[in-house]
Amino acid sequence: MNDVTAPPTGKVKRIRVPQRLRNLELGILIPAFVIILSAIVLVQLGALGHVDTQLIVLGAGLIVLVLGLHITLRFVARDADPFIVPIATVLNGIGIAMIYRIDIAEGNEGWDSIAVKQIAWTAIAIAAAITTLLVLRNHRILFRYTYLFGLAALVLLLLPLVPGLGNEVNGARVWISLGGFLNFQPGELAKIALAIFFAGYLVRNRDALSMTGPKFLGIQWPRMRDFGPLLIVWAVAMGVIVFQRDLGTGLLYFGLFLCMLYVATGRFSWIAIGLSLFVAGAIIAVQTLEYVRGRVDAWLNPFDQSVYDATGGSYQLVQGLFGLAKGSMLGTGLGQGRPYITPLAESDYIIASLGEELGLAGLFAIFALYLLFVERGFRIGFAGQDDFGKLLGVGLAFVVALQVFVVVGGVTRVVPLTGLTMPFLAAGGSSLLANWIIVALLLRLSDTIRNHPRLVIES
Amino acid sequence: MTDPSALTLLALQLGFLILMWGFVFAIVYALRSDLFGQRVRKLQPAATAGAEPRAATPPGGTAPVVPAASGYPSSPVDRSDAGNDNASKLVITSGPRAGAEFPLGRDEITIGRSGDSAIIIRDDYTSTHHARLMLWNGRWMIQDLDSTNGTFLDGSRVTVPVPVPLGATVKVGATTFELRR
């Protein structure tokens, strides 16, 4: 690599000593491993009263895998961002510790244990991340297949609706069932394909979307014929809400497109139009769809006795709120609270479980980690020099940020509950797989985009 | 093994919270220049005057030519319409690397002190993310990224993105450059 230019006279200067970032990553990974192992040990001390080596061995297996990813980076992406992997590792590990804690309460053991499954899925997800890094040596290749990724996203979205393959869980048709035992949510992978498609599409067409149009109320508005893409994505999102009965995923796709459209065009009118479409869609959904009305009802009047007792009512929401209240500032201590009272305490409600046992202090540390993770992605968008990579980095980071907002907002009663999963934390293989692939893509982007100074002036 | 006492568990819980926050702050500390930027000194008029006389360095000829990074991904978009003012390179006209050339593609060029800028200027007067050059409808525009000491086009401070004509002097910190055919 001769990306570092040297003056013809004088000594050759390197801007970054090649492995400096990787050594920094290793330095941050070690406390990350300490956090994961101590979380598991604390859960055992709190809930069992003694230390059990079985799960610690599995946790150590996870550490070996992360080290494998680290070593892969040393060879194929040595200038990649050093903070992404440690942050994802800590979040994933804390999630496993909390799932394990719920397992202890519910008496799940062996392969029934959700924590063991989560560790197995983490292994698959990290292996997928390593494969992505090995196969994808330059993110510009993705730009070539923009429309193929658009098609792939559409197919992934439609898969759960195929009779015989689709599987309905808690009313939402977002799962596919392979061979009757392996359940998978293709929508999680679709969000990556969509981010790639949106980035490629917007880089190709942004001039039409950003330059022309009539001026009204002091803001330049797009031409009518440029509304097509936004309306199509809106229709797809509404389709997900109506036919798959999944509020969160539809919201996520539309929010992702709106964010990327705004970043690509820098035009405020898109946000105004997008939000009006969103509000219109929300009103239609509340008027016509039973399950959406139930969610909104539970959000507005959770403490109403009839709403609390109704099936699909606010029981879960209220239990989560009580859990968070019990956790208070410092929490009950890992393994010492009763987060398992809340339904789905290991997946949709893992934030309430963590809030109960780690308190506000612990929860805010977790949010700070998400903040830093998203900041790394936005940084690629800020510092990069190629438009496709910039837009893709921002899109991938934003999709994680929006998902965190929607989940935490749902649990804390800021927005209606949607049934999305917390990235990295919540139990669920497809979500883990998708998020670790996002990690791999961000690493690849930061390696090719960052640290390519083409001229250095030092005084 | 006896069950740990409530006090031990409380101490362990507090220790764990401190560990988590320690991790968060370790990352923030490592990122400090990214998050908060580096210290920038206010540019004194004297420093400006000191940099100007050297602007006469002849371009090309003896000037070191900066090779395009071969590791850098080239844009798949065709380059035939790369700018109706036909600028093909950026030439440093004053400062420590006066005479250095920098090829212009279609991608935007970030200028600043941070390690991820396309043109890194490491002096006390350049902000972490100082300015950027971008191709807009075939014209190169310069945008100041709210830098401490400002970006100057032909002596006037850049407040909104403005087109850079060929041969106009752009000044960032103690360095000046211009676009050439």
Side-chain angles (χ1 to χ4, degrees):
Chain A
M1 290 216 282
N2 60 346
D3 51 285
V4 179
T5 51
T9 53
K11 68 178 171 55
V12 174
K13 272 216 171 219
R14 277 190 189 282
I15 295 314
R16 301 227 182 231
V17 179
Q19 298 288 2
R20 212 201 71 180
L21 289 171
R22 296 276 70 80
N23 294 339
L24 179 60
E25 181 178 83
L26 189 61
I28 304 171
L29 272 175
I30 288 164
F33 296 152
V34 173
I35 290 179
I36 295 176
L37 290 181
S38 47
I40 295 175
V41 170
L42 280 181
V43 162
Q44 292 174 339
L45 285 177
L48 299 171
H50 61 87
V51 177
D52 177 15
T53 49
Q54 197 197 353
L55 207 90
I56 297 176
V57 172
L58 285 174
L62 182 68
I63 287 170
V64 171
L65 274 164
V66 174
L67 282 175
L69 177 59
H70 169 78
I71 291 165
T72 313
L73 285 176
R74 280 187 181 261
F75 286 104
V76 299
R78 46 175 52 186
D79 287 326
D81 193 279
F83 305 104
I84 293 175
V85 174
I87 292 173
T89 307
V90 165
L91 290 172
N92 198 340
I94 289 178
I96 288 171
M98 184 42 73
I99 295 163
Y100 175 51
R101 192 258 166 281
I102 308 289
D103 273 345
I104 294 174
E106 313 244 308
N108 297 330
E109 274 177 21
W111 274 104
D112 283 340
S113 161
I114 307 170
V116 173
K117 280 184 197 151
Q118 181 83 345
I119 291 176
W121 271 111
T122 308
I124 295 171
I126 295 179
I130 293 175
T131 315
T132 309
L133 280 164
L134 288 174
V135 172
L136 188 73
R137 291 303 179 93
N138 185 342
H139 68 272
R140 299 299 299 238
I141 292 166
L142 299 176
F143 185 71
R144 242 179 261 162
Y145 301 112
T146 299
Y147 293 98
L148 204 59
F149 277 104
L151 186 71
L154 205 62
V155 170
L156 285 170
L157 274 179
L158 291 177
L159 272 183
L161 295 176
V162 176
L165 194 62
N167 195 9
E168 191 165 317
V169 178
N170 297 331
R173 278 194 77 93
V174 291
W175 296 81
I176 54 169
S177 187
L178 298 172
F181 62 94
L182 183 67
N183 280 321
F184 200 79
Q185 245 177 311
E188 289 282 344
L189 285 178
K191 76 184 180 192
I192 300 176
L194 276 177
I196 296 169
F197 168 63
F198 290 160
Y201 172 78
L202 288 170
V203 165
R204 285 192 171 92
N205 298 299
R206 71 161 142 198
D207 284 358
L209 298 170
S210 68
M211 297 292 182
T212 54
K215 207 162 182 162
F216 179 62
L217 290 177
I219 300 172
Q220 203 173 34
W221 298 87
R223 291 176 302 186
M224 285 311 279
R225 62 167 178 250
D226 294 329
F227 272 92
L230 187 67
L231 287 175
I232 289 171
V233 176
W234 182 75
V236 168
M238 287 303 285
V240 169
I241 292 175
V242 174
F243 297 112
Q244 306 197 333
R245 297 160 55 79
D246 186 6
L247 201 56
T249 312
L251 182 67
L252 199 65
Y253 296 157
F254 188 63
L256 172 68
F257 184 67
L258 205 55
C259 162
M260 292 178 75
L261 188 59
Y262 176 65
V263 171
T265 61
R267 199 180 233 198
F268 179 74
S269 50
W270 281 122
I271 299 273
I273 296 163
L275 286 181
S276 341
L277 277 175
F278 170 73
V279 169
I283 291 171
I284 296 170
V286 172
Q287 297 290 332
T288 55
L289 294 170
E290 190 66 40
Y291 85 98
V292 178
R293 200 179 318 147
R295 295 279 176 83
V296 172
D297 237 18
W299 171 52
L300 293 175
N301 316 301
F303 299 105
D304 189 315
Q305 191 63 45
S306 61
V307 178
Y308 180 80
D309 290 333
T311 40
S314 64
Y315 174 76
Q316 186 187 30
L317 183 62
V318 169
Q319 290 306 325
L321 288 174
F322 284 159
L324 286 171
K326 179 78 175 80
S328 179
M329 270 308 278
L330 296 175
T332 57
L334 279 172
Q336 298 166 75
R338 290 191 293 165
Y340 45 83
I341 295 176
T342 315
L344 295 178
E346 77 287 341
S347 56
D348 289 17
Y349 259 69
I350 196 155
I351 275 297
S353 309
L354 286 164
E356 180 171 349
E357 302 216 322
L358 293 174
L360 192 69
L363 217 47
F364 271 35
I366 291 171
F367 294 161
L369 289 177
Y370 278 113
L371 194 65
L372 287 167
F373 184 86
V374 172
E375 188 269 344
R376 297 323 290 160
F378 282 176
R379 176 136 184 95
I380 293 168
F382 188 54
Q385 287 133 30
D386 105 89
D387 290 333
F388 172 71
K390 288 170 72 133
L391 211 48
L392 183 57
V394 170
L396 291 174
F398 181 79
V399 87
V400 172
L402 185 63
Q403 201 164 344
V404 169
F405 170 77
V406 168
V407 174
V408 176
V411 170
T412 54
R413 215 158 76 77
V414 174
V415 294
L417 204 58
T418 54
L420 280 177
T421 53
M422 200 69 180
F424 300 110
L425 282 179
S430 21
S431 166
L432 267 183
L433 187 64
N435 286 306
W436 275 102
I437 291 175
I438 288 180
V439 165
L441 288 176
L442 286 178
L443 288 168
R444 175 51 74 209
L445 285 172
S446 61
D447 181 52
T448 38
I449 284 186
R450 296 179 77 209
N451 311 326
H452 280 271
R454 290 179 284 176
L455 180 61
V456 181
I457 299 168
E458 300 223 40
S459 60
Chain B
M1 196 170 150
T2 54
D3 282 12
S5 73
L7 189 65
T8 324
L9 286 174
L10 181 66
L12 285 172
Q13 163 77 359
L14 291 180
F16 183 70
L17 289 176
I18 292 169
L19 189 64
M20 273 174 74
W21 278 106
F23 182 73
V24 170
F25 280 112
I27 294 179
V28 171
Y29 178 77
L31 279 175
R32 63 196 180 282
S33 71
D34 267 18
L35 293 174
F36 309 111
Q38 282 140 324
R39 274 182 67 95
V40 178
R41 291 217 320 252
K42 282 276 183 203
L43 189 60
Q44 299 300 316
T48 323
E52 230 57 74
R54 278 194 285 174
T57 316
T62 56
V65 176
V66 180
S70 66
Y72 193 78
S74 63
S75 167
V77 190
D78 85 276
R79 284 157 188 271
S80 59
D81 59 343
N84 51 19
D85 54 0
N86 297 326
S88 67
K89 62 190 177 189
L90 180 157
V91 182
I92 309 291
T93 49
S94 77
R97 290 286 306 277
E101 288 184 3
F102 183 91
L104 299 174
R106 284 183 61 90
D107 293 332
E108 75 170 56
I109 290 156
T110 48
I111 302 166
R113 216 190 317 180
S114 80
D116 44 32
S117 306
I119 299 180
I120 301 177
I121 303 182
R122 294 229 170 94
D123 60 26
D124 289 346
Y125 311 110
T126 308
S127 298
T128 315
H129 303 281
H130 197 107
R132 60 177 179 165
L133 274 168
M134 54 206 168
L135 197 57
W136 242 31
N137 276 0
R139 307 182 76 180
W140 283 99
M141 312 278 284
I142 182 108
Q143 182 187 22
D144 184 69
L145 299 174
D146 205 14
S147 62
T148 307
N149 288 311
T151 306
F152 294 86
L153 178 67
D154 274 338
S156 55
R157 189 161 180 157
V158 175
T159 49
V160 293
V162 286
V164 184
L166 286 173
T169 306
V170 181
K171 182 162 164 292
V172 170
T175 302
T176 61
F177 61 83
E178 58 184 57
L179 301 187
R180 296 213 180 130
R181 215 177 283 270

PDB file of all heavy atoms in Angstrom, chain A residues 57-81:
ATOM      1  N   VAL A  57     -16.740 -21.399  30.742  1.00  0.00           N
ATOM      2  CA  VAL A  57     -15.986 -22.016  29.647  1.00  0.00           C
ATOM      3  C   VAL A  57     -16.569 -21.575  28.315  1.00  0.00           C
ATOM      4  O   VAL A  57     -15.847 -21.211  27.383  1.00  0.00           O
ATOM      5  CB  VAL A  57     -16.000 -23.550  29.786  1.00  0.00           C
ATOM      6  CG1 VAL A  57     -15.400 -24.205  28.555  1.00  0.00           C
ATOM      7  CG2 VAL A  57     -15.251 -23.969  31.034  1.00  0.00           C
ATOM      8  N   LEU A  58     -17.908 -21.568  28.224  1.00  0.00           N
ATOM      9  CA  LEU A  58     -18.549 -21.118  26.983  1.00  0.00           C
ATOM     10  C   LEU A  58     -18.226 -19.648  26.708  1.00  0.00           C
ATOM     11  O   LEU A  58     -17.979 -19.260  25.573  1.00  0.00           O
ATOM     12  CB  LEU A  58     -20.061 -21.316  27.069  1.00  0.00           C
ATOM     13  CG  LEU A  58     -20.538 -22.756  26.914  1.00  0.00           C
ATOM     14  CD1 LEU A  58     -22.027 -22.853  27.161  1.00  0.00           C
ATOM     15  CD2 LEU A  58     -20.199 -23.272  25.530  1.00  0.00           C
ATOM     16  N   GLY A  59     -18.237 -18.828  27.773  1.00  0.00           N
ATOM     17  CA  GLY A  59     -17.883 -17.417  27.619  1.00  0.00           C
ATOM     18  C   GLY A  59     -16.459 -17.258  27.111  1.00  0.00           C
ATOM     19  O   GLY A  59     -16.173 -16.421  26.260  1.00  0.00           O
ATOM     20  N   ALA A  60     -15.571 -18.145  27.611  1.00  0.00           N
ATOM     21  CA  ALA A  60     -14.181 -18.096  27.155  1.00  0.00           C
ATOM     22  C   ALA A  60     -14.104 -18.457  25.678  1.00  0.00           C
ATOM     23  O   ALA A  60     -13.295 -17.897  24.925  1.00  0.00           O
ATOM     24  CB  ALA A  60     -13.325 -19.044  27.991  1.00  0.00           C
ATOM     25  N   GLY A  61     -14.983 -19.371  25.250  1.00  0.00           N
ATOM     26  CA  GLY A  61     -15.033 -19.727  23.830  1.00  0.00           C
ATOM     27  C   GLY A  61     -15.362 -18.511  22.977  1.00  0.00           C
ATOM     28  O   GLY A  61     -14.789 -18.275  21.917  1.00  0.00           O
ATOM     29  N   LEU A  62     -16.289 -17.701  23.490  1.00  0.00           N
ATOM     30  CA  LEU A  62     -16.671 -16.471  22.800  1.00  0.00           C
ATOM     31  C   LEU A  62     -15.465 -15.537  22.669  1.00  0.00           C
ATOM     32  O   LEU A  62     -15.234 -14.929  21.614  1.00  0.00           O
ATOM     33  CB  LEU A  62     -17.783 -15.795  23.615  1.00  0.00           C
ATOM     34  CG  LEU A  62     -18.360 -14.518  23.068  1.00  0.00           C
ATOM     35  CD1 LEU A  62     -19.122 -14.817  21.811  1.00  0.00           C
ATOM     36  CD2 LEU A  62     -19.269 -13.888  24.094  1.00  0.00           C
ATOM     37  N   ILE A  63     -14.684 -15.466  23.759  1.00  0.00           N
ATOM     38  CA  ILE A  63     -13.511 -14.586  23.754  1.00  0.00           C
ATOM     39  C   ILE A  63     -12.521 -15.035  22.683  1.00  0.00           C
ATOM     40  O   ILE A  63     -11.954 -14.219  21.957  1.00  0.00           O
ATOM     41  CB  ILE A  63     -12.875 -14.587  25.164  1.00  0.00           C
ATOM     42  CG1 ILE A  63     -13.778 -13.788  26.098  1.00  0.00           C
ATOM     43  CG2 ILE A  63     -11.470 -14.028  25.129  1.00  0.00           C
ATOM     44  CD1 ILE A  63     -13.403 -13.895  27.538  1.00  0.00           C
ATOM     45  N   VAL A  64     -12.358 -16.364  22.554  1.00  0.00           N
ATOM     46  CA  VAL A  64     -11.448 -16.891  21.524  1.00  0.00           C
ATOM     47  C   VAL A  64     -11.924 -16.452  20.135  1.00  0.00           C
ATOM     48  O   VAL A  64     -11.128 -16.027  19.289  1.00  0.00           O
ATOM     49  CB  VAL A  64     -11.368 -18.429  21.620  1.00  0.00           C
ATOM     50  CG1 VAL A  64     -10.608 -19.005  20.435  1.00  0.00           C
ATOM     51  CG2 VAL A  64     -10.703 -18.839  22.923  1.00  0.00           C
ATOM     52  N   LEU A  65     -13.243 -16.502  19.917  1.00  0.00           N
ATOM     53  CA  LEU A  65     -13.783 -16.094  18.612  1.00  0.00           C
ATOM     54  C   LEU A  65     -13.514 -14.623  18.333  1.00  0.00           C
ATOM     55  O   LEU A  65     -13.138 -14.249  17.221  1.00  0.00           O
ATOM     56  CB  LEU A  65     -15.286 -16.335  18.586  1.00  0.00           C
ATOM     57  CG  LEU A  65     -15.691 -17.734  18.170  1.00  0.00           C
ATOM     58  CD1 LEU A  65     -17.126 -17.990  18.533  1.00  0.00           C
ATOM     59  CD2 LEU A  65     -15.474 -17.885  16.672  1.00  0.00           C
ATOM     60  N   VAL A  66     -13.730 -13.777  19.345  1.00  0.00           N
ATOM     61  CA  VAL A  66     -13.485 -12.345  19.151  1.00  0.00           C
ATOM     62  C   VAL A  66     -12.013 -12.118  18.843  1.00  0.00           C
ATOM     63  O   VAL A  66     -11.662 -11.312  17.977  1.00  0.00           O
ATOM     64  CB  VAL A  66     -13.933 -11.544  20.390  1.00  0.00           C
ATOM     65  CG1 VAL A  66     -13.545 -10.095  20.245  1.00  0.00           C
ATOM     66  CG2 VAL A  66     -15.429 -11.660  20.569  1.00  0.00           C
ATOM     67  N   LEU A  67     -11.141 -12.881  19.531  1.00  0.00           N
ATOM     68  CA  LEU A  67      -9.707 -12.766  19.236  1.00  0.00           C
ATOM     69  C   LEU A  67      -9.424 -13.195  17.802  1.00  0.00           C
ATOM     70  O   LEU A  67      -8.566 -12.614  17.122  1.00  0.00           O
ATOM     71  CB  LEU A  67      -8.890 -13.596  20.227  1.00  0.00           C
ATOM     72  CG  LEU A  67      -8.712 -12.960  21.602  1.00  0.00           C
ATOM     73  CD1 LEU A  67      -7.987 -13.920  22.537  1.00  0.00           C
ATOM     74  CD2 LEU A  67      -7.934 -11.652  21.502  1.00  0.00           C
ATOM     75  N   GLY A  68     -10.171 -14.201  17.336  1.00  0.00           N
ATOM     76  CA  GLY A  68     -10.033 -14.630  15.941  1.00  0.00           C
ATOM     77  C   GLY A  68     -10.363 -13.489  14.993  1.00  0.00           C
ATOM     78  O   GLY A  68      -9.651 -13.239  14.017  1.00  0.00           O
ATOM     79  N   LEU A  69     -11.443 -12.763  15.313  1.00  0.00           N
ATOM     80  CA  LEU A  69     -11.827 -11.608  14.493  1.00  0.00           C
ATOM     81  C   LEU A  69     -10.733 -10.542  14.533  1.00  0.00           C
ATOM     82  O   LEU A  69     -10.373  -9.952  13.513  1.00  0.00           O
ATOM     83  CB  LEU A  69     -13.150 -11.037  15.011  1.00  0.00           C
ATOM     84  CG  LEU A  69     -13.694  -9.785  14.341  1.00  0.00           C
ATOM     85  CD1 LEU A  69     -13.926 -10.017  12.871  1.00  0.00           C
ATOM     86  CD2 LEU A  69     -14.990  -9.339  14.998  1.00  0.00           C
ATOM     87  N   HIS A  70     -10.178 -10.343  15.731  1.00  0.00           N
ATOM     88  CA  HIS A  70      -9.111  -9.356  15.901  1.00  0.00           C
ATOM     89  C   HIS A  70      -7.906  -9.710  15.038  1.00  0.00           C
ATOM     90  O   HIS A  70      -7.331  -8.854  14.362  1.00  0.00           O
ATOM     91  CB  HIS A  70      -8.732  -9.290  17.384  1.00  0.00           C
ATOM     92  CG  HIS A  70      -7.487  -8.510  17.650  1.00  0.00           C
ATOM     93  ND1 HIS A  70      -7.478  -7.140  17.656  1.00  0.00           N
ATOM     94  CD2 HIS A  70      -6.218  -8.903  17.893  1.00  0.00           C
ATOM     95  CE1 HIS A  70      -6.244  -6.729  17.900  1.00  0.00           C
ATOM     96  NE2 HIS A  70      -5.470  -7.767  18.048  1.00  0.00           N
ATOM     97  N   ILE A  71      -7.536 -11.001  15.041  1.00  0.00           N
ATOM     98  CA  ILE A  71      -6.367 -11.424  14.253  1.00  0.00           C
ATOM     99  C   ILE A  71      -6.671 -11.296  12.764  1.00  0.00           C
ATOM    100  O   ILE A  71      -5.822 -10.858  11.979  1.00  0.00           O
ATOM    101  CB  ILE A  71      -5.964 -12.865  14.648  1.00  0.00           C
ATOM    102  CG1 ILE A  71      -5.411 -12.844  16.078  1.00  0.00           C
ATOM    103  CG2 ILE A  71      -4.932 -13.430  13.692  1.00  0.00           C
ATOM    104  CD1 ILE A  71      -5.298 -14.185  16.733  1.00  0.00           C
ATOM    105  N   THR A  72      -7.911 -11.625  12.372  1.00  0.00           N
ATOM    106  CA  THR A  72      -8.304 -11.436  10.969  1.00  0.00           C
ATOM    107  C   THR A  72      -8.093  -9.981  10.556  1.00  0.00           C
ATOM    108  O   THR A  72      -7.568  -9.692   9.481  1.00  0.00           O
ATOM    109  CB  THR A  72      -9.787 -11.802  10.779  1.00  0.00           C
ATOM    110  OG1 THR A  72     -10.027 -13.041  11.404  1.00  0.00           O
ATOM    111  CG2 THR A  72     -10.134 -11.891   9.306  1.00  0.00           C
ATOM    112  N   LEU A  73      -8.505  -9.063  11.443  1.00  0.00           N
ATOM    113  CA  LEU A  73      -8.366  -7.645  11.134  1.00  0.00           C
ATOM    114  C   LEU A  73      -6.900  -7.270  10.953  1.00  0.00           C
ATOM    115  O   LEU A  73      -6.562  -6.444  10.116  1.00  0.00           O
ATOM    116  CB  LEU A  73      -8.976  -6.804  12.253  1.00  0.00           C
ATOM    117  CG  LEU A  73     -10.500  -6.760  12.294  1.00  0.00           C
ATOM    118  CD1 LEU A  73     -10.964  -5.989  13.499  1.00  0.00           C
ATOM    119  CD2 LEU A  73     -11.032  -6.124  11.028  1.00  0.00           C
ATOM    120  N   ARG A  74      -6.039  -7.892  11.747  1.00  0.00           N
ATOM    121  CA  ARG A  74      -4.608  -7.582  11.615  1.00  0.00           C
ATOM    122  C   ARG A  74      -4.110  -7.881  10.210  1.00  0.00           C
ATOM    123  O   ARG A  74      -3.186  -7.248   9.725  1.00  0.00           O
ATOM    124  CB  ARG A  74      -3.797  -8.386  12.633  1.00  0.00           C
ATOM    125  CG  ARG A  74      -3.828  -7.764  14.009  1.00  0.00           C
ATOM    126  CD  ARG A  74      -2.901  -8.449  14.977  1.00  0.00           C
ATOM    127  NE  ARG A  74      -3.012  -7.808  16.272  1.00  0.00           N
ATOM    128  CZ  ARG A  74      -2.146  -6.896  16.722  1.00  0.00           C
ATOM    129  NH1 ARG A  74      -1.106  -6.557  16.005  1.00  0.00           N
ATOM    130  NH2 ARG A  74      -2.338  -6.328  17.896  1.00  0.00           N
ATOM    131  N   PHE A  75      -4.735  -8.868   9.557  1.00  0.00           N
ATOM    132  CA  PHE A  75      -4.267  -9.227   8.217  1.00  0.00           C
ATOM    133  C   PHE A  75      -5.024  -8.506   7.108  1.00  0.00           C
ATOM    134  O   PHE A  75      -4.420  -8.077   6.136  1.00  0.00           O
ATOM    135  CB  PHE A  75      -4.363 -10.750   8.022  1.00  0.00           C
ATOM    136  CG  PHE A  75      -3.302 -11.489   8.777  1.00  0.00           C
ATOM    137  CD1 PHE A  75      -3.609 -12.161   9.944  1.00  0.00           C
ATOM    138  CD2 PHE A  75      -1.994 -11.481   8.326  1.00  0.00           C
ATOM    139  CE1 PHE A  75      -2.627 -12.826  10.663  1.00  0.00           C
ATOM    140  CE2 PHE A  75      -1.000 -12.137   9.032  1.00  0.00           C
ATOM    141  CZ  PHE A  75      -1.311 -12.815  10.198  1.00  0.00           C
ATOM    142  N   VAL A  76      -6.346  -8.390   7.235  1.00  0.00           N
ATOM    143  CA  VAL A  76      -7.096  -7.897   6.074  1.00  0.00           C
ATOM    144  C   VAL A  76      -7.626  -6.474   6.219  1.00  0.00           C
ATOM    145  O   VAL A  76      -8.091  -5.894   5.241  1.00  0.00           O
ATOM    146  CB  VAL A  76      -8.272  -8.836   5.715  1.00  0.00           C
ATOM    147  CG1 VAL A  76      -7.751 -10.208   5.356  1.00  0.00           C
ATOM    148  CG2 VAL A  76      -9.299  -8.899   6.819  1.00  0.00           C
ATOM    149  N   ALA A  77      -7.625  -5.908   7.426  1.00  0.00           N
ATOM    150  CA  ALA A  77      -8.142  -4.542   7.570  1.00  0.00           C
ATOM    151  C   ALA A  77      -7.405  -3.858   8.713  1.00  0.00           C
ATOM    152  O   ALA A  77      -7.989  -3.503   9.721  1.00  0.00           O
ATOM    153  CB  ALA A  77      -9.651  -4.560   7.819  1.00  0.00           C
ATOM    154  N   ARG A  78      -6.113  -3.676   8.524  1.00  0.00           N
ATOM    155  CA  ARG A  78      -5.303  -3.231   9.651  1.00  0.00           C
ATOM    156  C   ARG A  78      -5.591  -1.791  10.074  1.00  0.00           C
ATOM    157  O   ARG A  78      -5.296  -1.409  11.195  1.00  0.00           O
ATOM    158  CB  ARG A  78      -3.825  -3.413   9.341  1.00  0.00           C
ATOM    159  CG  ARG A  78      -3.434  -2.923   7.967  1.00  0.00           C
ATOM    160  CD  ARG A  78      -1.949  -3.003   7.753  1.00  0.00           C
ATOM    161  NE  ARG A  78      -1.406  -4.333   8.049  1.00  0.00           N
ATOM    162  CZ  ARG A  78      -0.108  -4.585   8.043  1.00  0.00           C
ATOM    163  NH1 ARG A  78       0.747  -3.624   7.790  1.00  0.00           N
ATOM    164  NH2 ARG A  78       0.330  -5.784   8.310  1.00  0.00           N
ATOM    165  N   ASP A  79      -6.165  -0.996   9.205  1.00  0.00           N
ATOM    166  CA  ASP A  79      -6.473   0.383   9.589  1.00  0.00           C
ATOM    167  C   ASP A  79      -7.938   0.571   9.985  1.00  0.00           C
ATOM    168  O   ASP A  79      -8.433   1.693  10.027  1.00  0.00           O
ATOM    169  CB  ASP A  79      -6.134   1.334   8.437  1.00  0.00           C
ATOM    170  CG  ASP A  79      -4.628   1.485   8.295  1.00  0.00           C
ATOM    171  OD1 ASP A  79      -3.951   1.455   9.321  1.00  0.00           O
ATOM    172  OD2 ASP A  79      -4.154   1.611   7.162  1.00  0.00           O
ATOM    173  N   ALA A  80      -8.625  -0.530  10.239  1.00  0.00           N
ATOM    174  CA  ALA A  80     -10.037  -0.415  10.607  1.00  0.00           C
ATOM    175  C   ALA A  80     -10.180   0.220  11.976  1.00  0.00           C
ATOM    176  O   ALA A  80      -9.240   0.247  12.773  1.00  0.00           O
ATOM    177  CB  ALA A  80     -10.694  -1.785  10.589  1.00  0.00           C
ATOM    178  N   ASP A  81     -11.357   0.733  12.233  1.00  0.00           N
ATOM    179  CA  ASP A  81     -11.620   1.418  13.495  1.00  0.00           C
ATOM    180  C   ASP A  81     -11.401   0.474  14.681  1.00  0.00           C
ATOM    181  O   ASP A  81     -11.914  -0.638  14.697  1.00  0.00           O
ATOM    182  CB  ASP A  81     -13.066   1.903  13.485  1.00  0.00           C
ATOM    183  CG  ASP A  81     -13.319   2.879  14.595  1.00  0.00           C
ATOM    184  OD1 ASP A  81     -13.537   2.441  15.744  1.00  0.00           O
ATOM    185  OD2 ASP A  81     -13.282   4.080  14.315  1.00  0.00           O
TER     186      ASP A  81
END
